Amino acid sequence: MRDVGVRLGSTFTAIFVIGWISNASADEACLTSAQSELERLYCEVVERGGRAGLPSQVDFQRNDRNVQALLLRQPAKRLGLTLPEVSASPEPRSEPELTTLSHEPMNEPVSEPPIAQRLAGCHLRGKVIQCSQAVYELADNRTLASLGDGVLEPSNRLGIVPFDGKRSDDEAVRSYLSAAYDRYIPKMLAIGLGANTMSFTAFHNAFHTLESGDVDFSERMERAYELLKLDRKNLNVTTGKHDDLPENLSLCDTINRDVIVCDNVGTNWVFVRANQ
């Protein structure tokens, strides 16, 4: 997460990224509670000193297999451990679910091709993703003067609806958070914070941390968004220093036709369709 000023940085860290990295040491209970090859690999990585950057075991188990594999990819590679085979790409997020989050018209066509198909033929070239019919540029933080009219006013709400399912229902949670995340990213771009977005993993873990503490995730995210807008009115933000870049497009996913997000868990990159 990049520094964007004293108050803004602390607000973002305290509210949007909530304790997903734990310093608890591994013990025998880890393997006892492991229920899959990936969870057993997690225990082995922790045992061998590769815990840095990984969530707690409880938070790790809350992720689906694709996210678990992404979390373990680099730590396992550093330790010379083999990652169990999982699906080549994460399951596509449900586009129709987005319509429940806002009364605003969506830019997406009614029928969209699968994510892998949408990224087929695209090439990652540094800070640019070149596709056959569009170019996507890495988003930076924007100056206050460059923001659209009214984006910092109360009428511009994050607008994530409350979760009304059971947290034990992994499919319902994933569908809800995927739709919420597809709204969150454009809303962060609107207030000029493209270089300071949460990864989907951090978003997912924030949901479980808040909801398990009887705190409404949607309400807390709305309050955080209001604080960010207030900070944007009163504080300058630094541009995002992208010292590293995504390794390849396997780390990337589409938000809509205008936005692609890539992350390696530790860093989130947002690419925006260039003006034609």
Side-chain angles (χ1 to χ4, degrees), residues 47-168:
E47 263 191 311
R48 296 172 69 167
R51 174 165 197 86
L54 287 175
S56 67
Q57 185 184 14
V58 172
D59 282 337
F60 179 82
Q61 290 174 333
R62 285 170 175 161
N63 291 293
D64 63 29
R65 291 187 308 151
N66 291 298
V67 175
Q68 288 180 344
L70 183 60
L71 285 165
L72 289 173
R73 180 185 299 168
Q74 291 304 320
K77 182 178 179 180
R78 285 194 294 268
L79 294 169
L81 300 173
T82 302
L83 196 68
E85 185 175 348
V86 293
S87 301
S89 60
E91 296 178 14
R93 299 200 289 268
S94 174
E95 299 289 353
E97 193 70 25
L98 290 173
T99 59
T100 66
L101 297 180
S102 172
H103 295 296
E104 300 169 5
M106 300 303 298
N107 293 325
E108 285 283 87
V110 174
S111 178
E112 279 291 315
I115 288 169
Q117 184 178 333
R118 276 183 270 171
L119 291 179
C122 296
H123 302 280
L124 179 63
R125 295 189 173 96
K127 295 184 178 182
V128 172
I129 295 176
Q130 176 74 57
C131 299
S132 59
Q133 299 187 12
V135 174
Y136 297 81
E137 298 174 343
L138 184 62
D140 206 341
N141 290 334
R142 295 164 54 194
T143 64
L144 183 61
S146 71
L147 301 184
D149 293 339
V151 295
L152 300 183
E153 298 306 314
S155 57
N156 178 33
R157 302 181 68 253
L158 183 58
I160 295 175
V161 299
F163 178 65
D164 62 359
K166 296 181 179 179
R167 282 200 307 117
S168 59

Side-chain angles (χ1 to χ4, degrees), residues 21-260:
I21 298 178
S22 169
N23 292 319
S25 59
D27 55 28
E28 293 180 3
C30 184
L31 280 172
T32 302
S33 62
Q35 299 180 9
S36 70
E37 289 185 56
L38 283 167
E39 291 180 11
R40 285 188 286 274
L41 179 61
Y42 170 91
C43 296
E44 187 173 355
V45 167
V46 170
E47 263 191 311
R48 296 172 69 167
R51 174 165 197 86
L54 287 175
S56 67
Q57 185 184 14
V58 172
D59 282 337
F60 179 82
Q61 290 174 333
R62 285 170 175 161
N63 291 293
D64 63 29
R65 291 187 308 151
N66 291 298
V67 175
Q68 288 180 344
L70 183 60
L71 285 165
L72 289 173
R73 180 185 299 168
Q74 291 304 320
K77 182 178 179 180
R78 285 194 294 268
L79 294 169
L81 300 173
T82 302
L83 196 68
E85 185 175 348
V86 293
S87 301
S89 60
E91 296 178 14
R93 299 200 289 268
S94 174
E95 299 289 353
E97 193 70 25
L98 290 173
T99 59
T100 66
L101 297 180
S102 172
H103 295 296
E104 300 169 5
M106 300 303 298
N107 293 325
E108 285 283 87
V110 174
S111 178
E112 279 291 315
I115 288 169
Q117 184 178 333
R118 276 183 270 171
L119 291 179
C122 296
H123 302 280
L124 179 63
R125 295 189 173 96
K127 295 184 178 182
V128 172
I129 295 176
Q130 176 74 57
C131 299
S132 59
Q133 299 187 12
V135 174
Y136 297 81
E137 298 174 343
L138 184 62
D140 206 341
N141 290 334
R142 295 164 54 194
T143 64
L144 183 61
S146 71
L147 301 184
D149 293 339
V151 295
L152 300 183
E153 298 306 314
S155 57
N156 178 33
R157 302 181 68 253
L158 183 58
I160 295 175
V161 299
F163 178 65
D164 62 359
K166 296 181 179 179
R167 282 200 307 117
S168 59
D169 186 340
D170 292 340
E171 184 60 36
V173 169
R174 182 166 57 249
S175 177
Y176 168 78
L177 290 177
S178 294
Y181 192 73
D182 285 352
R183 182 171 179 85
Y184 158 78
I185 291 294
K187 285 293 185 177
M188 289 294 284
L189 288 169
I191 61 174
L193 293 179
N196 288 87
T197 59
M198 297 169 65
S199 70
F200 184 70
T201 299
F203 198 78
H204 184 280
N205 289 325
F207 168 82
H208 281 291
T209 300
L210 289 168
E211 293 283 338
S212 65
D214 293 324
V215 177
D216 185 279
F217 173 74
S218 64
E219 181 181 339
R220 179 60 60 87
M221 291 293 287
E222 193 68 58
R223 287 171 54 193
Y225 194 64
E226 290 304 309
L227 288 172
L228 288 175
K229 289 194 298 179
L230 180 63
D231 282 342
R232 289 260 39 201
K233 287 183 177 181
N234 299 303
L235 298 173
N236 291 324
V237 299
T238 59
T239 56
K241 303 291 185 181
H242 291 285
D243 296 325
D244 56 350
L245 293 167
E247 294 179 1
N248 53 63
L249 286 177
S250 69
L251 302 177
C252 304
D253 197 353
T254 57
I255 294 295
N256 54 43
R257 69 184 297 272
D258 295 319
V259 181
I260 297 173

